[in-house]
Amino acid sequence: MSLLIVGSIGTDDIETPFDSIKNALGGSTTYISLAASYFTAPISIVGVVGDDFDKAFIRTFEEHNIDLEGLQIVQGGKTFRYGCKYQYDLNVRDTLYTDLNVFENFDPVIPEKSKKSSFVVLGNIAPKLQMNVLKQLYNPKFVVCDTMNFWIERTKEELLEVLKLVNVLIINDSEARLLAHEPNLIKAARLIRELGPEYLIIKKGEHGAMLFADNTVFSAPAYPMENIFDPTGAGDAFAGGFTGYLHKTQTIDLDNIKRAVIYGSVMASFCVEKFSTKGLEDLSYLQIHDRFLEFRELTNF
Ligand code: AMP
């Protein structure tokens, strides 16, 4: 059964202190599905774009064997557009604009064959759309959810309803503090898990990620990198690697979830090495496996 991924697909304008790019392929679904495509198949995505969406971007999905039956192309519509600027500290990102465009009236329709999907990633989109997706599925067993400050600040009540139904929430440290109204991450994690998710992953940018499960905290290092070109999509690449690995292995226990966290970190590290999605477009499984082993070495003492 396919891994179902729902979220944003769009074009990004990105500025870092070193370079900038306009009209780049972006969106949460895009990064998640590309990262997951190195682990598992079939992958189905559900999303919406306008008819201005570059055909070359469609080919990028196709080249990674990503099923586009659930992609709606709105004639005359404008594609979702996101602009951001990174400060010298690349952990700090200022959003310049979020033009929802065709997302404003998006009504996700899950293709019949994907309604049976047991593994689902709810990428970063409006919580009411995430809920709409969950309601169409027959029996989702493992729901991974991402969100961001934009939705926590604007649509918290709707987000809380979604959180009751998810198994894993993946957010970054500032989003965790915002969601829990709690500056201490350990306390914030406890409060968030009380809202529903059995597993919580808090990403800490270049400082790695923390998994909270049962009474355990598992800390994954970040890959020591000298050249970070563009952190955009790192969180989504993490979610794609994490869920792609779990979908491939079909084993949900703590040891395997820890391994999935490392595969998520591996994919995030490849993502930030190049602008936009380029770091996720031409990898081999061998490169991924080698970096997994390097991660293991980092934590071995
Ligand atoms: P990340 O760096 O992992 O947070 O993800 C960046 C991607 O999320 C970019 O490619 C954006 O197009 C997309 N994005 C940014 N803001 C939003 C939003 N409010 N809703 C949906 N997608 C978004």
Side-chain angles (χ1 to χ4, degrees):
M1 198 42 60
S2 68
L3 168 60
L4 177 66
I5 301 170
V6 187
S8 59
I9 301 168
T11 42
D12 290 347
D13 300 328
I14 304 162
E15 269 181 65
T16 75
F18 323 109
D19 210 343
S20 66
I21 189 169
K22 280 201 176 294
N23 299 317
L25 176 58
S28 54
T29 293
T30 307
Y31 284 99
I32 298 167
S33 59
L34 289 176
S37 72
Y38 291 94
F39 296 88
T40 196
I43 292 176
S44 305
I45 64 172
V46 170
V48 65
V49 293
D51 60 3
D52 56 350
F53 193 61
D54 195 329
K55 304 282 175 295
F57 295 161
I58 301 272
R59 281 199 295 280
T60 303
F61 288 109
E62 288 169 348
E63 281 160 12
H64 287 81
N65 296 320
I66 293 164
D67 180 350
L68 299 177
E69 190 185 331
L71 178 66
Q72 300 172 23
I73 302 178
V74 178
Q75 295 308 311
K78 279 178 79 177
T79 297
F80 170 77
R81 189 172 200 96
Y82 173 71
C84 66
K85 182 174 180 169
Y86 290 90
Q87 296 184 11
Y88 198 68
D89 171 356
L90 288 173
N91 289 307
V92 186
R93 171 168 80 186
D94 299 317
T95 294
L96 301 178
Y97 39 84
T98 305
D99 298 336
L100 293 176
N101 297 330
V102 287
F103 255 107
E104 210 111 44
N105 299 311
F106 178 43
D107 183 14
V109 179
I110 311 299
E112 202 48 47
K113 66 173 190 241
S114 299
K115 287 186 178 169
K116 290 191 208 124
S117 297
S118 48
F119 280 66
V120 185
V121 188
L122 301 172
N124 174 22
I125 42 170
K128 75 165 189 277
L129 295 181
Q130 294 176 322
M131 184 59 97
N132 180 336
V133 168
L134 287 179
K135 284 189 175 151
Q136 293 178 60
L137 303 179
Y138 294 141
N139 187 19
K141 288 203 183 70
F142 195 70
V143 180
V144 177
C145 178
D146 186 10
T147 191
M148 73 186 298
N149 47 1
F150 187 86
W151 305 114
I152 298 170
E153 281 160 357
R154 278 161 226 236
T155 55
K156 187 153 179 189
E157 289 310 311
E158 290 164 3
L159 177 63
L160 293 181
E161 289 306 306
V162 173
L163 290 185
K164 289 179 188 162
L165 305 176
V166 312
N167 301 84
V168 186
L169 176 66
I170 305 181
I171 48 179
N172 70 30
D173 43 0
S174 65
E175 290 157 356
R177 291 187 176 102
L178 183 68
L179 179 59
H181 277 294
E182 167 58 57
N184 179 284
L185 279 187
I186 308 295
K187 288 186 193 161
R190 193 180 58 240
L191 292 169
I192 293 169
R193 289 181 62 215
E194 282 168 10
L195 300 172
E198 189 181 349
Y199 302 99
L200 172 68
I201 296 171
I202 299 184
K203 299 165 290 180
K204 299 187 338 184
E206 62 179 334
H207 305 299
M210 292 167 91
L211 165 72
F212 295 85
D214 302 330
N215 295 318
T216 311
V217 183
F218 172 68
S219 200
Y223 189 69
M225 309 187 66
E226 288 201 21
N227 295 314
I228 298 181
F229 279 104
D230 173 15
T232 311
D236 300 314
F238 179 99
F242 173 82
T243 319
Y245 175 75
L246 288 174
H247 185 255
K248 172 183 150 179
T249 51
Q250 295 279 319
T251 304
I252 306 298
D253 62 30
L254 190 53
D255 281 345
N256 210 38
I257 287 188
K258 287 179 185 174
R259 271 191 289 278
V261 167
I262 299 298
Y263 276 112
S265 308
V266 166
M267 298 315 285
S269 74
F270 282 120
C271 178
V272 303
E273 281 180 344
K274 296 184 183 164
F275 256 105
S276 173
T277 52
K278 294 292 172 210
L280 297 177
E281 288 183 24
D282 293 305
L283 295 171
S284 69
Y285 193 75
L286 195 61
Q287 278 173 287
I288 293 169
H289 184 64
D290 281 351
R291 195 162 285 186
F292 177 83
L293 296 180
E294 287 182 62
F295 264 90
R296 197 140 74 182
E297 239 358 85
L298 277 173
T299 48
N300 204 2
F301 67 93

